[in-house]
Amino acid sequence: MWVYKFNDDFIWQPGEEIEVDVENGEQIPEGYTDKQPPDGLFIAKYDPKKEEWFEAASKEYIDSLQPDPLPPDDVTFLKKQVAMLTLQVAQLQRGGSS
C-alpha cells in the first residue's frame, strides 16, 4: 500500500510517498498516512483526527498563482473595430449619429 508523508505542520510532502507492506505486518511510519491527498489542492494539509486532507492555502495565495488575464488577441480587437466602423457607417447612411 502507498502511504503519503506530511511534515510537522501536517503539510503533504509530494514525492515522499513510500510503499508499505501492511499485509506482512509492516507498520505505517509516523508522519505518513494511507489516505491519498485529493487532486486540486494547492497546499494539502492532513487532519489526523478526521483522517482527511483539506486545503490550507489562503485565497490570496491561490489567486497569486493564477496567470494574469491575457490581453485580447488581434483578431478580437479587429472584430471590435469592424463592428464600430460598421455602426458608424450605418449611422452616417441614416443621416448622422443618434
Side-chain angles (χ1 to χ4, degrees), residues 18-91:
I18 59 172
E19 196 166 2
V20 176
D21 189 1
V22 292
E23 290 180 13
N24 289 319
E26 194 174 347
Q27 298 291 317
I28 296 175
E30 188 174 330
Y32 285 83
T33 179
D34 61 342
K35 307 293 184 213
Q36 182 176 2
D39 291 337
L41 297 180
F42 290 88
I43 300 177
K45 189 169 184 174
Y46 187 66
D47 182 339
K49 292 178 184 165
K50 294 182 180 179
E51 295 186 350
E52 64 184 24
W53 295 94
F54 64 94
E55 181 61 74
S58 68
K59 179 172 176 12
E60 292 79 18
Y61 175 78
I62 294 170
D63 290 345
S64 76
L65 299 175
Q66 303 304 316
D68 291 334
L70 297 173
D73 64 350
D74 291 339
V75 173
T76 302
F77 178 72
L78 290 173
K79 284 180 180 180
K80 287 180 181 179
Q81 277 191 322
V82 167
M84 271 187 10
L85 291 171
T86 302
L87 177 62
Q88 288 175 348
V89 168
Q91 289 173 341

